Amino acid sequence: TLDRPACVVCSICNHCKTPFSLPFIPKGWTHKLLIIGEAFGENEDERTHRPFTGPAGKLLRRLWRAAGFEDVDVALVNAVRGRPRKNATPSMLQVRACRPFLLRVVDALKPDMVIGVGGTALRAITNSGNANVTKARGRTITIPGCSSGVGVLVTYHPAAVLRGATHLQKEILHDLKSARETR
């Protein structure tokens, strides 16, 4: 079930406006792709209550469309179910506290392919604090503890492009195209 169990292990819920966030599944979802992000940013926490609705989400949407996905093909979920204080990178404690929910989401949704964007998503996928996006890119990995056995590709977070690493936009687009071809 994709309900909102009120986990308080990491205390992130004590200060964000939208704790225990749910995945966004578009009406008529085709099960082609599930994208795992990091955590809510300010826009998502305070306004939309959905993953990837800020500037990084807008860029990601343009990129998945350029890769040949339609909006109905893509569901979205975050590795961490609340907004860390001051938009900090989620700690491994926060990642691990939210990981059981993430595994339930992947198992329940049964997507054809999963893409993790950024280091936090990769840490949640691998359950390792030592995960490196650059080293993980280009390999299909499985999620330890996930019964669905779905393949996961990892790419850079679109926020990195917005922070000046514009060359990564081509890499993200390439990875989205790879996901489309792999499924």
Side-chain angles (χ1 to χ4, degrees):
T1 176
L2 302 180
D3 60 356
R4 294 179 186 229
C7 170
V8 294
V9 170
C10 72
S11 74
I12 201 170
C13 61
N14 294 339
H15 65 274
C16 62
K17 293 187 179 185
T18 311
F20 322 121
S21 67
L22 293 171
F24 172 73
I25 306 161
K27 186 174 182 157
W29 185 50
T30 63
H31 292 264
K32 290 183 181 176
L33 181 64
L34 173 64
I35 296 179
I36 300 172
E38 180 176 279
F40 273 6
E42 180 179 8
N43 189 60
E44 293 89 354
D45 186 34
E46 296 184 7
R47 291 180 203 86
T48 66
H49 314 292
R50 287 183 22 201
F52 286 106
T53 57
K58 289 178 181 145
L59 173 58
L60 183 60
R61 197 164 284 101
R62 284 196 310 268
L63 291 171
W64 81 50
R65 290 172 181 159
F69 287 104
E70 296 182 28
D71 292 351
V72 73
D73 297 332
V74 184
L76 305 163
V77 68
N78 282 320
V80 174
R81 299 176 54 223
R83 178 180 177 208
R85 230 180 259 283
K86 299 180 184 176
N87 283 341
T89 299
S91 69
M92 205 56 206
L93 171 68
Q94 292 166 331
V95 169
R96 285 192 172 130
C98 292
R99 192 168 188 277
F101 178 77
L102 179 63
L103 296 178
R104 281 197 312 275
V105 167
V106 174
D107 283 339
L109 295 183
K110 296 178 183 26
D112 294 340
M113 178 58 69
V114 175
I115 290 187
V117 294
T120 299
L122 178 58
R123 290 183 308 156
I125 290 163
T126 61
N127 198 26
S128 171
N130 297 322
N132 180 295
V133 173
T134 302
K135 291 179 181 176
R137 272 191 74 241
R139 296 184 293 127
T140 301
I141 56 179
T142 57
I143 304 173
C146 191
S147 63
S148 69
V150 65
V152 180
L153 294 176
V154 177
T155 193
Y156 300 103
H157 198 290
V161 174
L162 299 176
R163 288 192 296 265
T166 55
H167 65 286
L168 295 180
Q169 184 166 324
K170 290 180 195 173
E171 304 296 331
I172 298 168
L173 179 58
H174 175 269
D175 295 337
L176 286 164
K177 287 180 179 178
S178 292
R180 189 165 182 271
E181 294 165 6
T182 302
R183 36 159 242 98

